[in-house]
């Protein structure tokens, strides 16, 4: 009995400590974005809010890879200094952001593959932003759009559809043709453009170190389509190879300043191998960036198939079926020429990103909107709002210990 009481007290203390840490982080984030927006307004620069980037607690390396690439692209090609707010900050700062964001400010929503019921928590945050900032121009950067044809998927899509359609100046950029078709059906004219995953434009030299063995990057989560027997057959096809396993998940917090270093370490690992076998989109993209022959299997949605389509003609990327003999495909991949023999592929992809950058530049306000001093003063009283938002948000999210 005494042991159970001690356990309950310890759990309560851990939960209290975690919420106090979350509250302190949220207040620091409010101070940061307030300072950055003041600086940009004072300098006459456009104020661009870049929202729903991955929080440090999240696990997907693909999300962390996108963030530094998108930021560099926004700075170089669009000519803005985005004010970043990760998913947790968007939730915790919901109230003060209403006072801090001027109707003339541009809001960008981070790219990715979470527009659907499998990204339910992110989708709820996205709905809130679209609903609460109805006077702002909002652009969602390239997204895979996939609601499943299930009761749950149809219900979640039914919630999102009227919110998206009611916004007067919203654009959803699709990440592939299937997503574009899904977006047009759900959101009408708000979804009329597509562009490939921006991680594909990451500058990366293929490397010259000796390559050995195969790197297997297969899902073990709810998005996997390969059965245990099919995965076993893949490993059987690699008999005689030195096989290393890798998952594009991280088991420790990834702070903003560490994203690029961690992704470069992952790319170094890919570049050390002769072959990559994957059913993850960014596993394929990392192989492309490092010019590593890659055998690709589909997951439960269209992301891998359309990802391969973007790279049509790339000699070292092949979509495979788990039911076909894999050894001949592997031999063909190993004999294929380098992707540097097809620079037209990179040029074709760049044309989509250039068109998107031009569209964003046209949407920038000529002069930044100014926040009245009275509203700025109200922000000093927002700490209580932040603490309340942390309590409400953390009721839905279990945080790892920091």
């Amino acid at each position: 009995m005494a042991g159970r009481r001690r356990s309950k007290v310890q759990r309560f203390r851990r939960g209290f400590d975690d919420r106090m840490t979350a509250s302190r982080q949220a207040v620091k984030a409010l101070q940061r974005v307030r300072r950055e927006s003041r600086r940009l307004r004072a300098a006459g620069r456009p104020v661009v809010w870049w929202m729903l980037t991955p929080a440090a607690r999240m696990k997907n390396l693909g999300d962390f890879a996108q963030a530094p690439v998108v930021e560099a692209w926004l700075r170089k090609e669009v000519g803005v200094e985005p004010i970043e707010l990760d998913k947790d900050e968007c939730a915790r700062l919901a109230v003060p952001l209403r006072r801090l964001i001027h109707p003339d400010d541009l809001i960008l929503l981070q790219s990715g593959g979470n527009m659907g019921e499998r990204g339910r928590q992110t989708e709820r945050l996205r709905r809130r932003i679209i609903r609460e900032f109805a006077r702002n121009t909002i652009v969602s950067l390239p997204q895979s759009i996939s609601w499943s044809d299930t009761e749950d998927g149809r219900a979640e899509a039914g919630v999102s559809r009227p919110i998206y359609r009611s916004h007067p100046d919203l654009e959803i950029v699709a990440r592939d043709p299937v997503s574009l078709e899904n977006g047009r059906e759900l959101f009408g004219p708000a979804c009329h453009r597509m562009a490939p995953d921006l991680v594909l434009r990451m500058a990366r030299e293929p490397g010259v170190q000796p390559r050995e063995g195969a790197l297997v990057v297969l899902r073990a989560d709810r998005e996997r389509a390969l059965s245990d027997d099919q995965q076993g057959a893949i490993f059987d096809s690699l008999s005689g190879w030195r096989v290393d396993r890798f998952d594009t998940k991280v088991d420790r917090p990834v702070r903003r300043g560490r994203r690029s270093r961690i992704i470069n370490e992952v790319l170094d690992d890919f570049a050390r191998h002769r072959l990559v076998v994957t059913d993850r989109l960014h596993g394929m993209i990392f192989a492309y960036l490092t010019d590593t022959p890659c055998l690709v299997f589909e997951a439960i949605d269209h992301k891998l198939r359309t990802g391969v389509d973007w790279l049509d003609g790339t000699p070292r990327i092949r979509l495979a079926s788990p039911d076909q003999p894999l050894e001949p495909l592997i031999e063909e991949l190993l004999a294929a020429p380098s992707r540097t023999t097809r620079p037209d592929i990179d040029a074709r992809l760049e044309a989509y990103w250039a068109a998107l950058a031009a569209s964003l530049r046209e949407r920038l306000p000529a002069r930044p909107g100014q926040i009245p001093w009275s509203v700025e003063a109200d922000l000093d009283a927002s700490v209580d709002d932040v603490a309340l938002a942390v309590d409400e948000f953390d009721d839905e999210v279990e945080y790892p210990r920091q």
Side-chain angles (χ1 to χ4, degrees), residues 17 26 47 50 89 92 125 161 177 261 293 309 346 352 368 397 401:
D17 289 345
V47 179
W50 175 34
E89 292 165 346
R92 294 165 177 166
L125 288 172
R161 182 188 294 110
R261 187 179 72 183
D309 289 345
D346 288 339
Y352 286 93
V397 178
R401 295 304 300 268

Side-chain angles (χ1 to χ4, degrees), residues 12-31 56-57 86 88-89 92-93 253 255 383 386-387 389-391 393-394 398-402:
F12 174 81
R13 285 176 176 169
R14 283 197 298 268
F16 179 79
D17 289 345
D18 288 344
R19 293 195 181 206
M20 287 297 294
T21 299
S23 294
R24 286 193 295 268
Q25 291 172 344
V27 171
K28 287 178 66 175
L30 175 59
Q31 294 168 341
R57 65 180 175 84
D86 68 33
D88 291 354
E89 292 165 346
R92 294 165 177 166
L93 303 182
R255 308 295 180 191
V383 174
V386 169
V390 168
D391 283 342
F393 179 58
D394 288 3
E398 181 178 348
Y399 287 92
R401 295 304 300 268
Q402 299 290 315

